Amino acid sequence: MNLLSKVSIQAQAMAREIDDETVILDLGSGTYFGLDAVGSRIWQLMTEGATLGAICDAIVATYDVSRSDVERDVLELARSLLARKLIDVS
Amino acid sequence: MRKLRPVAGVELHIASARTQAPFDCGPLHEWDSPDPEARTLLYRTNTGYLVRYPALADFEVACEGTSVRYWPVPGVASELIPFLYANQVLPFASARRGRVVLHGSAVEVGGAGVAFIGGSGRGKSTLAASFATSGYRFLADDHLIIECTGAGENLIVPVDPSIRLWEDSRQALMGGAVHGAQTSAGTPKAHLPAQGGIAFCPESRPLRWIGFLGADESEGPEIQRMNRRDVVIELLRNSLFLDNEDRPWLAAHFNRLAVIAEGTACYRLDYPRRFDHLRNVRSAIVGHTRVGAEPE
């Protein structure tokens, strides 16, 4: 997985936005977790088929954070979602 | 044997007794039964679901929850059956009809409903009983049913007029023997019908606020606002009768939880789990309700 990777959301992930945050229900395991506002924006961009690099561009443009921090956080979230089988990577 | 209680919106068909034929596949779920003497197995059928209490009874619930067919096991007339029907089968049918069924209790304060949600052992029943024996009425114990009316109001729908209490709670709140109290064999919890000193509200009430019960980590009653994302997660955690294979139903359920979170003031409620604190806890809850718990 790298910044050129594009992710696709797996069918077992069911997400619901609430305010500017997101709750994701993993239908495969029956578990669920929440994403804060930044995590929610990353998830939304993933659902739109953006590459991880493009997602980083969008986050940097919106929030006052360093590029390196954003890349680290985006890759970490993507790895976590991949480990839960909630996304697939191409 | 007490008759199965008729409920509006659910057609009940009582069929002839039959032996329980085995299924080709395993159960979809095995639920915690409200009585440890009775296992609860859930199977999917062509028309809905079968709730099986081995050696006791089968209940087939239509997919939309609008009808229930009951087959007793030949030669069995257990008092458990009406109790299981009222406390598990009917709530399951409610969930299939689009109501939200949660692990919780609820009481009526000033004409409004206040709900207490949390896992086993958090004190939901004791808290509800403390209200019901102190001039208030309880709406639910164990299964909390919320109906999202779509008109911006969420209603607490009363379930079975009974409370189950551990013996120490029963003694602390009610002293001596309670008429009609039954203790199921193998469980220290007494099943107390609403009568005499326990007041039950049989009508739906608008949901004013929800208290998610904390883990007894505070020195006094604490009521702290929660954000909506955490509320949805807690509602999911305490949802009953989820079928992970019924995606349309699950998506609708998820949306209903969001509607509840968006339209209801929700708080983390914690207090010392000591009987001599219950009066203060009730005062705090009543005061918070009257001041005006409002959604953000």
Side-chain angles (χ1 to χ4, degrees):
Chain A
M1 183 189 298
N2 55 51
L3 295 177
L4 295 176
S5 301
K6 201 179 271 195
V7 305
S8 58
I9 308 298
Q10 296 290 78
Q12 70 185 57
M14 183 175 282
R16 178 62 158 84
E17 275 187 42
I18 180 134
D19 294 338
D20 58 354
E21 299 183 304
T22 298
V23 176
I24 298 176
L25 173 59
D26 177 351
L27 294 175
S29 63
T31 58
Y32 32 83
F33 56 96
L35 297 176
D36 61 14
V38 175
S40 294
R41 180 72 179 126
I42 295 171
W43 174 265
Q44 182 194 349
L45 291 165
M46 286 178 174
T47 66
E48 295 170 4
T51 63
L52 295 184
I55 292 174
C56 291
D57 293 341
I59 299 299
V60 167
T62 307
Y63 298 96
D64 182 20
V65 287
S66 73
R67 177 80 194 192
S68 60
D69 284 348
V70 170
E71 287 181 2
R72 182 198 64 222
D73 290 347
V74 168
L75 286 168
E76 190 177 310
L77 179 58
R79 286 190 199 103
S80 172
L81 294 170
L82 184 64
R84 291 169 182 258
K85 299 185 174 57
L86 297 176
I87 63 172
D88 200 3
V89 176
S90 57
Chain B
M1 185 180 83
R2 185 163 59 107
K3 289 188 175 178
L4 302 188
R5 182 169 62 93
V7 167
V10 180
E11 283 181 31
L12 173 64
H13 306 274
I14 299 177
S16 303
R18 71 175 190 188
T19 54
Q20 293 178 317
F23 277 82
D24 291 336
C25 55
L28 190 61
H29 289 299
E30 180 162 353
W31 291 335
D32 290 334
S33 172
D35 190 287
E37 295 264 298
R39 292 171 64 208
T40 312
L41 305 175
L42 179 71
Y43 296 90
R44 197 188 301 281
T45 69
N46 291 337
T47 55
Y49 301 86
L50 188 96
V51 182
R52 169 162 287 177
Y53 298 101
L56 278 180
D58 281 344
F59 292 90
E60 183 159 46
V61 179
C63 194
E64 307 77 26
T66 51
S67 70
V68 174
R69 187 171 294 273
Y70 158 55
W71 291 269
V73 169
V76 174
S78 167
E79 285 299 325
L80 272 180
I81 294 171
F83 172 73
L84 294 169
Y85 174 68
N87 284 279
Q88 199 159 49
V89 177
L90 283 181
F92 175 58
S94 274
R96 295 306 308 175
R97 290 204 307 283
R99 290 173 169 172
V100 172
V101 184
L102 302 162
H103 204 182
S105 65
V107 299
E108 178 194 37
V109 177
V114 179
F116 309 119
I117 292 176
S120 297
R122 283 288 166 105
K124 301 181 297 297
S125 298
T126 300
L127 188 55
S130 79
F131 274 89
T133 54
S134 302
Y136 297 88
R137 301 190 293 177
F138 80 98
L139 287 151
D141 174 45
D142 204 32
H143 292 93
L144 169 67
I145 298 180
I146 298 175
E147 181 171 12
C148 302
T149 64
E153 187 174 65
N154 301 313
L155 298 176
I156 296 179
V157 180
V159 186
D160 189 54
S162 66
I163 288 184
R164 293 189 309 139
L165 287 179
W166 296 103
E167 180 59 19
D168 59 346
S169 294
R170 191 185 69 73
Q171 287 285 348
L173 295 174
M174 310 184 70
V178 174
H179 178 70
Q182 296 175 332
T183 304
S184 299
T187 173
K189 268 201 171 187
H191 174 220
L192 305 172
Q195 61 188 44
I198 305 176
F200 175 69
C201 175
E203 298 96 22
S204 295
R205 286 289 179 261
L207 174 60
R208 179 67 60 78
W209 62 279
I210 298 175
F212 291 91
L213 299 184
D216 189 1
E217 293 171 336
S218 66
E219 295 181 359
E222 283 184 5
I223 303 175
Q224 296 177 329
R225 195 91 190 194
M226 292 172 66
N227 78 30
R228 289 172 179 165
R229 183 199 72 185
D230 289 346
V231 169
V232 172
I233 288 175
E234 287 297 321
L235 291 173
L236 265 173
R237 192 191 313 280
N238 288 284
S239 287
L240 295 172
F241 310 132
L242 297 186
D243 179 359
N244 282 1
E245 295 178 27
D246 186 346
R247 288 189 64 107
W249 183 91
L250 203 53
H253 179 74
F254 211 175
N255 279 332
R256 286 189 284 268
L257 298 187
V259 164
I260 292 171
E262 287 161 352
T264 309
C266 294
Y267 302 86
R268 191 78 63 189
L269 169 63
D270 203 5
Y271 53 93
R273 299 312 196 269
R274 288 174 40 184
F275 297 118
D276 57 359
H277 273 64
L278 281 173
R279 182 195 292 263
N280 286 346
V281 176
R282 286 197 306 274
S283 292
I285 290 169
V286 170
H288 187 74
T289 307
R290 289 183 177 154
V291 161
E294 295 291 342
E296 288 179 320

